[in-house]
């Protein structure tokens, strides 16, 4: 019986083998990239809200302090989403008839909550506490980005565990003076390396990386 | 060394002391009819009833296992009988048992290869078949046994967003690496070893499909002396790689227990103890397969009494070593002065699960002792029975290691019994189905006797033929 | 008239008032906090479902989302109050803690108080008004009720009968009094199946009047329990256990200890703890007490060679030597004569007024409840009852069998039942009305000493339900008042009863009200003590009790299910009974000798026959019980309790007769069919001579304080290959005083409530998959015929060199920087290797999806600070790490260190005897550090060199040398 395979068969077969190996690696690599992509992490994706609320206007434009609405941020684990009543403090006069604000007024009339879409979603087994981070000199914008520049709010960082750990391992790179925590215009000074270390000492900031710091 | 030289070398005249020994290959086997005989098994159009029966039964069992796995994933590992304190039971016993069986096959194919034990040539491929099928089963259980199998890959090191890696102090991580390496090496060795025979299959094939399939698998083997040289080298190298694995793999498996402080596990003798048990169980399984198949496929001329005799001797030797270990277990525990160790030994022999212990002693240790009589070594039926008993006994041993040690460890308040569920049994017997399915599939599709290696046992073929004698 | 208004009662917080969270925030709670009930698998690769935030529309003042609030109220357990502080998250009570100001609590809680929060959320609670098995409404009921009342009013209440459980609440009592005044022909009956019937009769026999008795064990040097389980059961047990342990705290050179003698028919937690314990048949107790009384000259002829001389002699001498500093406590289920004899003994020993306190009765009206019930039943049968109003209680299930209450009830033309559950009784009444849980409504209740607590609602009623007082008010006036109005009206008139001056004006009352509500008790409202005359000992016929042959069947309320009212509480059903460690069942208890004599095996089903009635139940062999004594517990075999309680155990009420409530002699027993598997969480009760729980006489400690370190030498620090941990900040540790542990199991329930520990059900317990993070080990010790018991609470040891950490392949359990052994659920893949390698076997595995993720009511109870575990992950005691982290953050916000005692683990906080201490071991001034310096301190399984952070103080006992010689 004649040799069934063309002499090229060997070469082709080798290439196929090579391709298969490379393909497998490629697939894994792509999966890995997707898993941490902004798209998968919903990073910098503006989220639709029942009210087209713009931090850009309220913070950037009017210069409201974060704490005017997020009242419990300094004392509670939860920063709090402002009750309708707080919105109405102003909007009973301003934009009192504007259709954009109608959902707020409706909520105030009917007593039904506005259903905001959660932008910063941590897994349920992660326990984050705002008050202590504020107290230790972690600025709002460090994690929430330039909210003063967000017409619709989006998630600024990737919110991966490595992202959390980066700061928990090297707090000196991110902390700022307590006086600047709520400032949206604060820029990391050139002497952060020295300032950071000094603040870490001053605020007794420990590098907490035990699992139970966040997972309970 | 060229092939014909090698043949001349193997077809040597008898050495002193070899008189009266059965021939490795029966008279009348020639290059020509040998190839025909072996290749016929996969190539013959009509399928023997025996094969259909076995394969059919095996597949049914496999389906049962599939169903059991579906339930397991749906409800959780709670469908198995495991509890606190007996957190490991059937699945791990099965796992260790299957690894043992696989390791036994590798011993034949690799170590005896290195030691140039030419008699192994006839059953070498068969042993590798047992190894592969065994690994297939063994690989399954550690996964099924996980609480959350869908994230099993967390036991592997890979770049991740958690910046967390496996904990390399844990024997389970060593295990993961051990099994993967071992499986890979075994498959390579098995395939490489088969290439020349795949070529023979290709050349014997008459239909087009088998022709192409075997052709591709043969990787264009032409039997050129260059091919043979490379093949020879690669074979030795892989055998050299596999040989330490035979020991390390099962040593690592034994670490899963020896590293733990559980009384009855925490012992330095475990590595040799496990390896020895593995060889015993594995060889027994190979023996069973060899006997069954040589009878059903009329291979008595290739797998001769000599083989059975040698296999039996290996079983006997390893069982004697095992006996030694078990005789000394009470002594070492007494000598350690550790009350928990002492209690465990007592508990094994007299506790609620004593029956597992004595079942093992009777079958696993007692059974092989029958092989002191040569009639039992050479009589296929008896040998098959004995091998079967040993395989069962070795499972009992693994099971006993789980339930007696875990069930009654340090705090009596936490002691508890264990009861296997239908799920457990479905998985155990199902895995036997998996094993047989794979094995019989290989048997039907590939040359399960290494043609070119058996040829090496033949003299230069000349009219009238000749045999080793 | 307008329908009763629900939800008008505002929450009152300690101090000031605020609004209730509205529906929206209830949902929001689920979104925010309740969301922690989902454990998403995988990391990064799984996008969580979009979540929503539902803010308040009008925020209630002083409410901060994420910050729990604490309200003072009381858990009403079998009618009596234990003051508690309830932790609420956005209006949802999640955890009950003791109220340090309250005499029945002192900051600790009993098992039943801890579990009460689950009763509130019981999904099987009745939700709607039922009329003849059809769903109806309150409006329909009220209009129907008014029509029913018209003829009754016309006849001044003839034919109207009230049936309640023992009424102790003052306002309810007043309300009933008003009803009886308005309708003089109406009658009021009370019935409690497991109430203090004997105590009432005993007090009547001894003093000629009803008196309430309680004990001040902190003043007692010698205590004798006559079949009383006062340490673990009863309304005052929390306080008793506290006071008892107070006198057993051996520290350094202070080795003063009280001494406890226990004579029991069935082994209880108290008996196991006793320094001396004897088993006695129920029928022998009067004789024993009489002989003791005679020996002490407290009346009765001196015994002519008492068969108990061996015991009575030394015991009497010991009691005699501690006149005024001893206490003799009869079991609530013991016969009236025993109670009377105990009164005689206590008064003659001068204990009355010092260790034994007498007050006027707690209940509004003391009476012979059995007689009262009998009268009611006969009237029902004779047709004299036209309208029966059953407020609470479940007589159809638990009335004595010979009275046939069910049969009588069928003859009543119109019957109305108010209750938490639509139970066996509701099935036979025409109307069933849902009752409010005491955490949902206003009310008041008395503690064992009379102290009044004003109950404030922690949450709006979950369903359309009302309190008994509101229903009674329908009889009095229209429009009727809410329970808050009724309560305030009552106390407006009785504020002075608290001893203080009557409030002059509304302003004064308002401040008095706020203070009383906020404190969780009305200051000085404890009933004043009365000093009765020397009680007269009743004559006990000098019969040789061995004459009374035949088996004795003793009924006892179940330690957790009590009379059956808690049968549908899953926590209580799965809580192991103190000694037998049984769950989900009651059993026919008998000692090994009796079982052997009757040729009975463990778990063999037997039939108990008495007076033509019979019941079947499985045998449980209980060492330490008296010979020929069969003990069964009430409360099981419910048919309409709910999904949890139905079918669990067997109902012994059907052999219980009104003339022999607690014990019947000459019961027949026969094997009946196959065996019934009982689920015990601990099956091996022998310690196998392993020095796990160390217990020695205090004398040994006095002569050789270092004995523990010889029994249990600690390995040297360098005897390890692993690097040492160093702690710059905190180093958490726990010390458990085994002398103090009385095996009440409050810690176990507290742990379950705090840490969202699931209930797994009988089948899973049977396969040893119970999930309690903390267990109390029980070992028998001493003479097998009359054993004593050793107790040891076993939480995670948080080992310094943790075996579990070494073997986890994925770092799911690791050492934290402050000495904890962290368990990270979301990292666990479930190899269970850690459990194999844990010598203490404290790890628990989610073999299936045990946590309830679907029942809304149960979600509301979950602690939002603790992950609800998913299927396939390991879990274990975390030292309540959520509390540690909270305190850490709180202290850091204030730039200070955590104070000693600032963190209490759930088990420690619930423990009545303060057996458990937790704190930072790095600060040598801390309590825990001081305890670990005690010579009695030892590590369990120290030789394994795990160096546990949880260590134990060896138990010391104080046996009477004179009695030791005899035994």
């Amino acid at each position: 019986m004649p040799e069934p395979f063309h002499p090229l068969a060997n070469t082709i077969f080798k290439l196929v083998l090579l391709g298969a190996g490379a393909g497998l690696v490629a697939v894994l690599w792509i999966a890995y990239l997707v898993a941490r992509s902004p798209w998968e992490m919903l990073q910098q994706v503006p989220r639709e809200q029942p009210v087209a609320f713009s931090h850009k206007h309220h913070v950037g434009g009017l210069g409201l302090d974060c704490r005017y609405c997020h009242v419990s941020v300094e004392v509670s684990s939860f920063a709090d989403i402002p009750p309708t009543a707080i919105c109405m403090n102003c909007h009973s006069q301003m934009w009192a008839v504007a259709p954009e604000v109608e959902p707020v007024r409706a909520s105030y009339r009917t007593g039904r909550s506005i259903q905001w879409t959660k932008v910063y979603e941590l897994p349920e087994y992660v326990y984050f506490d705002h008050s202590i981070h504020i107290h230790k000199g972690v600025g709002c914008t460090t994690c929430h980005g330039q909210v003063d520049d967000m017409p619709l709010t989006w998630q600024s960082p990737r919110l991966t565990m490595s992202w959390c750990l980066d700061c928990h391992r090297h707090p000196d790179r991110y902390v700022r003076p307590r006086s600047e925590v709520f400032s949206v215009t604060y820029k990391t000074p050139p002497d952060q390396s020295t300032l950071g270390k000094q603040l870490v000492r001053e605020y007794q900031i420990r590098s907490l990386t035990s699992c139970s710091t966040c997972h309970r | 060394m060229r092939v014909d030289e090698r043949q001349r070398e193997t077809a040597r005249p008898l050495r002193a002391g070899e008189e009266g020994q059965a021939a490795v290959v029966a008279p009348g086997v020639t290059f020509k009819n040998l190839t025909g005989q072996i290749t016929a098994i996969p190539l013959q159009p009509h399928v023997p009833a025996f094969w259909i029966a076995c394969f059919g039964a095996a597949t049914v069992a496999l389906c049962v296992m599939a169903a059991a796995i579906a339930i397991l994933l749906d409800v959780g590992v709670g469908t198995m009988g495991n509890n606190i304190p007996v957190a490991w039971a059937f699945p791990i016993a099965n796992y260790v048992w299957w690894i043992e069986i696989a390791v036994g096959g590798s011993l034949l194919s690799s170590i005896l290869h290195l030691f140039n034990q030419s008699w192994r040539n006839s059953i070498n491929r068969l042993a590798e078949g047992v190894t592969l099928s065994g690994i297939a089963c063994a690989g399954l259980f550690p996964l099924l046994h996980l609480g959350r199998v869908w994230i099993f890959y967390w036991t592997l090191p890979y770049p991740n967003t958690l910046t967390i890696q496996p904990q390399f102090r844990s024997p389970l991580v060593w295990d993961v690496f051990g099994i993967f390496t071992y499986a890979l090496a075994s498959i390579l060795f098995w395939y490489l070893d088969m290439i020349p025979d795949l070529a023979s299959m290709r050349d014997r094939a008459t239909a087009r499909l088998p022709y192409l399939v075997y052709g591709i698998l043969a990787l264009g083997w032409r039997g050129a002396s260059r091919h043979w040289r490379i093949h020879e080298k690669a074979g030795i190298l892989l055998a050299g790689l596999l040989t330490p694995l035979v020991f390390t793999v099962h040593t690592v498996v034994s670490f899963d227990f020896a590293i733990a402080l559980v009384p009855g596990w925490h012992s330095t003798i475990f590595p040799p103890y496990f390896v020895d048990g593995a060889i015993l169980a594995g060889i027994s399984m190979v023996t069973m397969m060899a006997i069954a198949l040589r009878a059903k496929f009329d291979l008595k001329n290739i797998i001769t009494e000599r083989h059975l005799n040698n296999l039996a001797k290996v079983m006997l030797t390893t069982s004697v070593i095992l006996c030694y270990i078990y005789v000394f277990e009470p002594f070492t525990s007494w000598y350690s002065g550790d009350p928990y160790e002492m209690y465990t030994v007592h508990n094994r022999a007299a506790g609620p699960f004593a029956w597992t212990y004595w079942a093992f002693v009777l079958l696993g240790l007692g059974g092989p002792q029958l092989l002191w009589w040569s009639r039992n070594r050479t009589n296929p039926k008896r040998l098959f029975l004995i091998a079967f008993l040993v395989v069962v006994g070795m499972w009992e041993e693994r099971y006993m290691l789980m339930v007696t040690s875990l069930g009654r460890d340090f705090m009596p308040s936490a002691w508890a019994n264990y009861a296997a569920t239908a799920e457990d049994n479905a998985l155990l017997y199902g895995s036997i189905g998996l094993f047989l399915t794979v094995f019989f599939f290989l048997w039907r599709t590939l040359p399960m006797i290494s043609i070119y290696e058996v040829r090496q046992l033949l003299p230069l073929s000349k009219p009238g033929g000749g045999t080793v004698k | 008239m307008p329908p009763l208004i629900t939800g008008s009662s505002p929450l009152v917080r300690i101090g000031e008032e605020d609004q209730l969270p509205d529906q929206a925030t209830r949902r929001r709670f689920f979104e925010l906090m309740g969301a922690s009930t989902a454990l998403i698998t995988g990391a990064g690769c799984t996008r969580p479902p979009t979540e929503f935030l539902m803010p308040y529309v009008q925020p209630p003042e002083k409410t901060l989302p994420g910050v729990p609030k604490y309200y003072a109220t009381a858990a009403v357990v079998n009618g009596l109050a234990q003051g508690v502080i309830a932790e609420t998250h956005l209006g949802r009570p999640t955890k009950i803690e003791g109220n340090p100001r309250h005499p029945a609590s002192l900051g600790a809680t009993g098992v039943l108080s801890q579990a009460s929060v689950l009763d509130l959320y019981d999904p099987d609670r009745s939700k709607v008004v039922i009329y003849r098995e059809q769903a109806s409404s309150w409006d329909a009921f009220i209009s129907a009720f008014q029509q029913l009342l018209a003829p009754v009013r016309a006849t001044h209440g003839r034919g109207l009968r009230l049936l309640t459980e023992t009424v102790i609440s003052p306002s309810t009592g007043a309300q009933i009094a008003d009803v009886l005044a308005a309708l003089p022909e109406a009658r009021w009956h009370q019935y409690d199946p497991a109430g203090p019937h004997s105590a009432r009769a005993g007090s009547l026999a001894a003093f000629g009047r009803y008196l309430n008795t309680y004990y001040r064990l902190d003043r007692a040097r010698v205590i004798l329990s006559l079949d009383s389980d006062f340490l673990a059961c009863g309304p005052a047990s929390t306080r008793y256990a506290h006071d008892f342990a107070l006198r057993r705290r051996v520290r350094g050179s202070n080795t003063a200890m009280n001494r406890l003698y226990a004579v029991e028919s069935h082994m209880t937690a108290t008996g196991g703890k006793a320094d001396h314990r004897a088993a006695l048949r129920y029928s022998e107790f009067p004789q024993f007490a009489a002989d003791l009384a005679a020996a002490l000259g407290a009346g009765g002829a001196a015994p002519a060679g008492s068969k108990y001389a061996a015991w009575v002699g030394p015991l009497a001498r010991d009691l005699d030597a501690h006149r005024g500093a001893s206490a003799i406590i009869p079991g609530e289920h013991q016969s009236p004569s025993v109670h009377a004899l105990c009164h005689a003994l206590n008064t003659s020993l001068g204990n009355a007024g010092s260790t034994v306190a007498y007050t006027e009765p707690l209940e509004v009206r003391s009476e012979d409840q059995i007689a009262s019930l009998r009268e009611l039943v006969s009237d029902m049968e004779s047709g004299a009852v036209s309208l029966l109003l059953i407020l609470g209680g479940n007589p159809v299930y638990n009335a004595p069998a010979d009275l046939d209450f069910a049969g009588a009830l069928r003859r009543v033309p119109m019957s109305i039942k108010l209750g938490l559950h639509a139970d066996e009784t509701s099935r036979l009444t025409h109307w069933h009305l849902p009752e409010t849980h005491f955490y949902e409504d206003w009310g008041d209740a008395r503690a064992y000493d009379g102290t009044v607590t004003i109950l404030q609602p922690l949450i709006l009623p979950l369903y359309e339900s009302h309190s008994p007082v509101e229903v009674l008010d329908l009889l009095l006036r229209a429009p009727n008042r809410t329970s808050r109005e009724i309560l305030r009206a009552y106390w407006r008139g009785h504020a002075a009863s608290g001893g203080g001056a009557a409030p002059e004006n509304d302003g004064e009352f308002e401040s008095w009200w706020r203070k009383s509500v906020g404190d969780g008790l009305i200051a000085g409202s404890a009933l004043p003590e009365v000093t009765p005359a020397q009680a007269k000992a009743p004559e006990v016929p000098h019969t040789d009790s061995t004459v009374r042959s035949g088996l004795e069947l003793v009924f006892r309320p179940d330690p957790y299910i009590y009379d059956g009212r808690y049968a549908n509480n899953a926590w209580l059903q799965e809580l192991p009974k103190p000694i037998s460690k049984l769950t989900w069942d009651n059993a026919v208890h008998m000692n090994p000798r009796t079982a052997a004599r009757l040729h009975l095996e463990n778990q063999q089903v037997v039939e108990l026959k008495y007076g033509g009635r019979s019941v079947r139940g499985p045998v449980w062999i209980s060492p330490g019980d008296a010979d020929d004594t069969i003990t069964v517990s009430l409360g099981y075999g419910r048919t309409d309790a709910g999904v949890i309680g139905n079918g669990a155990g067997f109902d012994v009420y059907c052999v219980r007769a009104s003339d022999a409530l607690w014990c019947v002699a000459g019961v027949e027993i026969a094997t009946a069919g196959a065996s019934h598997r009982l689920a015990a969480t601990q099956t091996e009760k022998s310690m196998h001579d392993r020095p796990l729980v160390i217990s020695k006489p205090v004398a040994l400690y006095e002569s050789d304080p270092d004995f523990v370190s010889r029994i249990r030498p600690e390995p040297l620090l360098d005897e390890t290959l692993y690097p040492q941990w160093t702690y710059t900040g905190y180093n958490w540790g726990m010390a458990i005083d085994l002398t103090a542990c009385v095996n009440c199991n409050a810690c176990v329930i507290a742990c379950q409530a705090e840490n969202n520990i699931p209930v797994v059900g009988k089948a899973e317990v049977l396969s040893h998959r119970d999930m309690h993070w903390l267990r109390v080990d029980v070992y028998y010790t001493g003479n097998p015929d009359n054993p004593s018991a050793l107790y040891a609470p076993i939480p995670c040891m948080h080992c310094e060199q943790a075996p579990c950490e070494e073997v986890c392949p994925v770092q799911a359990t690791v050492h934290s920087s402050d000495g904890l052994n962290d368990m990270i659920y979301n990292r666990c893949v479930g190899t269970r290797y850690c459990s194999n390698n844990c010598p203490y076997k404290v790890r628990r595995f989610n073999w299936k999806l045990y946590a309830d993720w679907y029942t809304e009511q149960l979600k509301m109870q979950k602690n939002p600070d603790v992950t609800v575990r998913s299927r396939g992950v390991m879990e274990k005691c975390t030292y309540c790490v959520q509390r540690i982290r909270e305190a850490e953050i709180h202290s850091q916000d204030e730039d200070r260190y955590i104070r000693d005692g600032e963190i209490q683990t759930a088990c420690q906080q619930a423990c009545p005897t303060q057996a458990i201490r937790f704190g930072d071991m790095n600060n040598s001034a801390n309590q825990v550090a001081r305890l670990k310096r005690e010579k009695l301190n030892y590590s369990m399984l120290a030789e394994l060199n795990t160096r546990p952070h949880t260590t134990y103080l060896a138990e010391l006992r104080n046996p009477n040398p004179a009695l030791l010689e005899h035994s």
Side-chain angles (χ1 to χ4, degrees), chain C residues 75-410:
Chain C
V76 183
V77 173
N78 312 330
L80 282 159
Q82 176 165 60
V84 298
I85 304 285
E87 175 181 353
T88 72
H89 291 267
L90 289 172
R92 264 139 228 92
T94 58
K95 179 76 171 66
I96 301 302
E97 303 295 0
N99 180 351
R101 292 180 180 150
H102 193 273
S105 159
L106 301 181
T109 42
V111 164
L112 299 180
S113 310
Q114 275 295 339
S116 58
V117 68
L118 191 61
D119 281 340
L120 167 67
Y121 294 120
D122 181 352
D124 295 334
R125 267 180 62 189
S126 75
K127 305 177 180 65
V128 291
V129 174
I130 301 171
Y131 178 59
R132 298 185 187 273
E133 305 192 342
Q134 298 295 322
S136 179
S137 72
W138 278 98
D139 302 359
F141 166 71
I142 289 159
S143 49
F145 191 53
Q146 295 308 336
Q147 287 162 16
L148 289 167
L149 283 179
V152 172
R153 287 216 174 87
T155 59
H156 307 294
R158 180 176 297 109
L160 169 63
R161 298 303 177 95
L162 299 182
L163 174 58
T164 66
E165 296 179 307
T166 313
V167 171
I168 295 167
S169 146
S171 61
T172 313
Q175 190 81 340
I176 292 175
D178 292 354
V179 169
L180 294 178
L183 304 167
E185 296 286 312
R187 293 270 168 284
W188 168 35
H189 306 271
Q190 303 178 82
Y191 173 64
D192 248 320
H197 305 292
S198 308
R200 289 195 195 95
S203 140
L204 207 53
F207 303 116
R209 58 174 174 150
Y210 292 116
L211 285 179
N212 169 43
T213 314
Y214 66 90
Y215 307 90
R216 294 209 196 83
L217 299 183
D218 51 341
R219 303 183 187 178
R221 302 279 306 283
V222 177
I223 303 165
L224 168 62
S225 152
L226 292 178
D227 220 7
S228 168
D229 191 8
F230 65 92
L231 288 178
C233 298
S237 58
T238 306
R239 176 58 182 270
Y240 289 165
H242 169 273
D243 295 351
F244 171 75
L246 213 56
R247 293 303 223 103
R248 288 174 94 78
R249 213 147 271 156
V250 173
R251 301 277 182 271
S253 58
N254 160 32
T255 60
M257 271 181 93
N258 61 10
R259 178 173 293 144
L260 170 63
Y261 300 85
V263 186
E264 296 189 316
S265 61
H266 171 62
M267 186 150 185
T268 66
T270 307
K273 194 69 189 169
D275 301 302
H276 288 288
R277 183 181 179 283
L280 219 58
R281 300 182 61 188
Y282 184 93
S283 56
E284 294 181 85
F285 278 82
Q287 191 63 62
F288 181 88
D291 292 2
L292 186 61
L296 282 162
S306 159
K307 66 192 281 266
Y308 316 113
W311 251 70
V312 168
L315 180 54
R317 279 194 295 283
D318 205 2
L319 289 167
D320 196 31
H322 296 93
R323 288 179 170 273
S326 59
I328 298 164
I329 309 177
E332 286 224 323
H333 62 289
Q334 265 298 337
S335 58
S337 56
V338 172
H339 280 262
L341 280 158
C342 288
H343 290 311
L345 281 161
N346 280 325
T347 42
S348 69
L349 284 168
N351 297 336
S354 68
T355 61
V356 183
Y358 292 101
T359 72
E360 292 302 328
L362 299 171
E363 56 248 48
V364 174
R365 189 179 83 193
S366 294
E367 62 188 332
D368 180 344
Q369 295 190 346
I370 300 305
S372 164
L373 185 66
R374 205 179 272 117
E375 179 201 342
L376 171 64
V377 170
S378 61
D379 288 357
M380 285 157 75
E381 278 161 346
S382 68
V385 180
S386 59
L387 177 57
L388 177 62
L389 194 50
I390 304 174
L391 302 176
N394 188 5
V396 168
Y397 165 71
N398 60 26
D402 57 336
L403 295 186
D404 183 24
F405 185 89
L409 182 57
R410 287 200 181 81

Side-chain angles (χ1 to χ4, degrees), chain B residues 72-88 91 145-155 158 160-162 164-173 255-262 265 338-340 343-344 406 408-418 421, chain C residues 39-45 681-684 686-688 690-692 712 722 764 767-769 775 777-779 794 803-811 825-833 835-841 843-849 870-874 940-941 943-944 946:
Chain B
L72 182 74
L73 296 180
D74 178 34
V75 181
V77 283
T79 52
M80 302 192 280
N82 302 38
N83 59 31
I84 305 288
V86 189
W88 288 0
H145 157 272
L146 285 182
R148 302 199 293 170
V149 62
W150 47 92
I151 45 171
F152 77 96
Y153 57 86
W154 283 0
T155 56
Y158 68 97
N160 60 55
T161 59
L162 312 169
I164 297 212
Q165 295 302 334
Q167 208 247 137
F168 288 98
R169 285 181 304 178
S170 168
L172 292 185
V173 176
F255 283 166
D256 292 348
F257 306 91
I259 297 291
L261 47 60
V262 177
W265 286 7
D338 179 343
Y340 310 110
Y343 180 82
T344 304
L406 289 174
R408 297 192 163 195
D409 62 350
F410 296 95
M411 296 187 96
S413 59
W415 289 358
N417 275 348
Y418 166 85
T421 61
Chain C
L39 187 67
I40 300 214
T41 55
C45 317
T681 56
Q682 182 184 349
T683 46
E684 179 65 42
S686 153
M687 211 148 45
H688 288 256
R690 301 177 179 183
L692 298 170
R712 262 261 161 266
Y722 291 110
E764 293 296 280
S767 38
H768 307 283
R769 293 171 177 179
R775 65 175 196 263
D777 283 357
V778 171
Y779 292 111
I794 311 283
C804 52
E805 292 170 8
E806 315 303 335
V807 296
C808 174
V810 293
Q811 302 198 39
Y825 317 119
N826 45 302
R827 177 68 181 172
C828 179
V829 297
T831 68
R832 307 189 287 285
Y833 201 171
S835 171
N836 287 351
N837 219 27
C838 173
Y840 309 96
K841 288 290 174 281
R843 294 183 154 260
R844 300 287 176 259
F845 189 70
N846 290 273
W847 300 97
K848 296 171 183 167
L849 186 57
S870 162
R871 180 189 115 196
V873 301
M874 191 61 75
M940 207 167 273
L941 296 173
E943 73 271 39
L944 298 178
T946 52

Side-chain angles (χ1 to χ4, degrees), chain C residues 15-73:
Chain C
E16 76 292 337
E17 311 215 357
D18 57 25
Q19 295 302 313
L20 265 172
D22 55 29
Q23 267 302 324
T25 55
R26 182 165 294 176
R27 265 177 282 126
R28 176 163 174 278
F29 169 83
F30 291 133
E31 298 302 345
L32 278 177
M33 312 302 178
S36 70
T37 56
L39 187 67
I40 300 214
T41 55
C45 317
T46 316
R47 232 189 250 176
T50 305
E51 291 178 2
F52 299 100
L53 294 156
M54 316 276 292
Y56 286 106
V57 174
Q58 281 288 1
E61 63 181 282
K62 298 234 168 46
T63 295
L64 291 172
V67 183
K69 290 204 281 185
Y70 299 88
Y71 297 93
T73 181

Side-chain angles (χ1 to χ4, degrees), chain B residues 25-44 122 200-201 204 293-304 443-444 446-451 454-455 458:
Chain B
V25 179
V29 180
T30 66
F31 281 17
K32 204 169 185 321
N33 63 18
L34 169 72
T35 316
Q37 188 183 2
I38 307 298
T39 52
I41 296 173
L43 289 177
Q44 66 184 304
S122 320
S200 322
M201 298 287 295
R204 288 292 179 124
L293 296 168
R294 85 191 265 274
K296 292 297 170 187
F297 290 87
D298 190 24
L299 298 166
K300 298 194 183 60
N301 55 350
I302 297 166
I303 304 174
T304 61
W443 181 265
R444 180 79 181 97
L446 297 170
M448 285 297 272
I449 304 269
S450 175
I451 302 167
V454 175
R455 278 177 170 179
L458 303 178

